[in-house]
Amino acid sequence: MAVTLEEAPWLGWILVKALLRFAFMVANNLVAILSYVCYVIVLQPLRLLDSKRFWYIEGIMYKWLLGMVASWGWYAGYTVMEWGEDIKAVSKDEAVMLVNHQATGDVCTLMMCLQDKGLVVAQMMWLMDHIFKYTNFGIVSLIHGDFFIRQGKSHRDQQLLLLKKHLENNYRSRDRKWIVLFPEGGFLRKRRETSQAFAKKNNLPFLTHVTLPRIGATNIILSALVARQENGRPAGGDTKELESKSKGLQWIIDTTIAYPKAEPIDIQTWILGYRKPTVTHVHYRIFPIKDVPLETDGLSNWLYQRFIEKEELLSHFYETGAFPLPKGHKEAVSREMTLSNVWIFLIQSFAFLSGYMWYNIIQYFYHCLF
């Protein structure tokens, strides 16, 4: 499409702004990730002496890193409107977020909207595609204990065994509370056709705005983390031991992300900021774990039903621009999520000052050795 004379200055400004944002993002990543890794290395003695305190400090730094990523979208005008139940009420409990997946921007959106939910981000574990292991953020996620899952039938059984082992070794030992899971197993545009063919073959609902979820990872997580009961009491151990143990997974948070006109934001847009300011809408529903069937068939049906409801939520949103009214309410209530500019300035300042400090320390030792 030809560019008119009137559009040329605007397009030129968009290009200059994108280049400036990209340069800042590269610098931000270099200083922040390098500083994070250096702090983690220096704090290794604390990990041996007081593991819980070490992972608390690591979690705070992890939250700050995700806050920096959130700020890239915030200053481009990409904001979040929250709907449904207030998830702050369960921020101190163990929970699993089940999220629909449309694009890479979904992850950035969650990084933003969970920043004001206490220590949730610091104590969170992500399940993400293995390709993210090879991105700039991969080293941070590896240290933090996120799980990278490889897609495909040939890897499925092995990956589920690895996930079970990963949860046993890293979830409670690192004081994790929330897990973020995308049960569809891929982006909507990539999985929709396959999902619809599977639905037709198995007499399941025909979905357009979401795909049918895969059960494996959800089943493993619930099996590993839900506290089993015997005669109304947690199974195993004496009274003192039981009191010190985690209460186990208590909530499932059904999370539905909706973009205006069904046009999702990708990570390139989040970084470069070339798209006009837009509001992403996130809807929450909280289910007590006691209401969720744990046997495979029951869980499959329960999970399918949640995604059928997501389809209805999204259809309503794309038709009206708002999510439907909760039962018993006369009007839908939305909450605008905000980030503190002062807080962003402080964590960015800390990152750049830390980067400068570690650069000088590394340079000093290099000159001493060589």
Side-chain angles (χ1 to χ4, degrees):
M1 185 173 65
V3 178
T4 65
L5 204 59
E6 292 79 9
E7 292 174 328
W10 177 77
L11 289 173
W13 165 241
I14 292 294
L15 178 61
V16 170
K17 185 175 72 169
L19 290 172
L20 290 172
R21 284 177 60 89
F22 181 76
F24 176 79
M25 182 274 295
V26 171
N28 200 183
N29 270 292
L30 284 173
V31 297
I33 294 175
L34 171 65
S35 297
Y36 168 86
V37 172
C38 289
Y39 280 124
V40 166
I41 292 172
V42 169
L43 288 170
Q44 285 304 304
L46 178 62
R47 183 178 180 179
L48 298 174
L49 296 171
D50 189 344
S51 177
K52 186 173 182 179
R53 190 174 300 275
F54 169 83
W55 288 115
Y56 173 80
I57 296 170
E58 182 279 331
I60 295 298
M61 292 192 293
Y62 182 83
K63 178 181 179 179
W64 291 350
L65 285 172
L66 268 60
M68 292 173 201
V69 176
S71 72
W72 303 342
W74 176 256
Y75 287 119
Y78 306 145
T79 57
V80 174
M81 191 72 71
E82 297 180 305
W83 301 73
E85 298 182 69
D86 185 3
I87 61 174
K88 285 183 181 178
V90 298
S91 62
K92 294 182 180 179
D93 300 331
E94 291 187 22
V96 175
M97 294 190 82
L98 302 179
V99 191
N100 62 311
H101 208 9
Q102 300 181 60
T104 47
D106 298 341
V107 175
C108 302
T109 296
L110 292 175
M111 288 180 179
M112 177 184 286
C113 63
L114 295 176
Q115 284 293 328
D116 66 344
K117 309 299 188 293
L119 290 175
V120 161
V121 176
Q123 297 177 300
M124 177 176 285
M125 179 183 287
W126 295 75
L127 267 65
M128 60 185 80
D129 192 277
H130 80 288
I131 197 67
F132 283 98
K133 185 189 296 186
Y134 308 105
T135 65
N136 58 316
F137 213 73
I139 183 64
V140 174
S141 290
L142 281 170
I143 292 171
H144 184 70
D146 296 328
F147 184 77
F148 300 95
I149 193 163
R150 187 182 291 272
Q151 305 293 342
K153 288 183 179 180
S154 60
H155 304 289
R156 191 168 299 162
D157 292 340
Q158 181 194 26
Q159 290 298 298
L160 293 177
L161 289 173
L162 290 173
L163 173 59
K164 184 175 185 293
K165 185 177 180 181
H166 183 83
L167 292 171
E168 292 169 351
N169 293 339
N170 297 293
Y171 183 77
R172 295 214 167 93
S173 66
R174 300 187 183 195
D175 196 27
R176 300 295 172 243
K177 295 288 187 182
W178 284 27
I179 294 180
V180 178
L181 174 64
F182 299 97
E184 290 164 295
F187 298 140
L188 173 63
R189 68 178 187 277
K190 292 183 177 180
R191 287 213 63 243
R192 179 159 39 201
E193 187 176 336
T194 305
S195 174
Q196 290 173 346
F198 178 84
K200 184 177 180 180
K201 182 179 178 181
N202 293 274
N203 197 29
L204 293 168
F206 187 88
L207 306 178
T208 303
H209 304 305
V210 295
T211 65
L212 290 169
R214 292 170 174 169
I215 310 302
T218 308
N219 195 14
I220 291 292
I221 291 168
L222 297 188
S223 299
L225 301 182
V226 173
R228 301 293 177 175
Q229 302 285 320
E230 290 181 1
N231 299 321
R233 295 167 60 88
D238 57 27
T239 304
K240 289 185 178 180
E241 184 183 0
L242 291 174
E243 288 175 355
S244 66
K245 281 186 176 181
S246 165
K247 294 179 181 178
L249 200 64
Q250 297 176 66
W251 310 98
I252 288 186
I253 302 170
D254 182 43
T255 306
T256 305
I257 299 176
Y259 297 94
K261 300 179 181 179
E263 297 175 353
I265 296 175
D266 55 29
I267 187 65
Q268 301 96 307
T269 306
W270 194 269
I271 291 169
L272 300 177
Y274 51 76
R275 181 169 164 177
K276 291 181 179 179
T278 187
V279 180
T280 301
H281 298 258
V282 182
H283 185 277
Y284 306 111
R285 294 185 302 166
I286 303 173
F287 295 89
I289 202 67
K290 63 181 178 63
D291 295 340
V292 180
L294 299 182
E295 71 278 4
T296 303
D297 290 341
L299 179 61
S300 297
N301 293 331
W302 187 89
L303 204 54
Y304 282 159
Q305 186 58 39
R306 301 291 77 78
F307 274 76
I308 292 168
E309 292 165 3
K310 280 181 184 290
E311 176 80 7
E312 295 168 357
L313 285 170
L314 289 168
S315 295
H316 189 280
F317 177 85
Y318 294 139
E319 289 172 7
T320 66
F323 284 110
L325 296 175
K327 291 181 180 179
H329 291 72
K330 294 183 179 179
E331 60 178 334
V333 179
S334 60
R335 305 173 295 277
E336 185 178 3
M337 190 274 158
T338 60
L339 290 178
S340 166
N341 292 321
V342 173
W343 178 74
I344 292 172
F345 173 78
L346 290 174
I347 62 173
Q348 290 285 15
S349 298
F350 179 76
F352 280 94
L353 289 171
S354 294
Y356 179 74
M357 178 189 75
W358 286 115
Y359 171 78
N360 283 283
I361 290 173
I362 292 169
Q363 188 180 48
Y364 171 78
F365 281 107
Y366 177 82
H367 287 307
C368 288
L369 293 171
F370 305 102

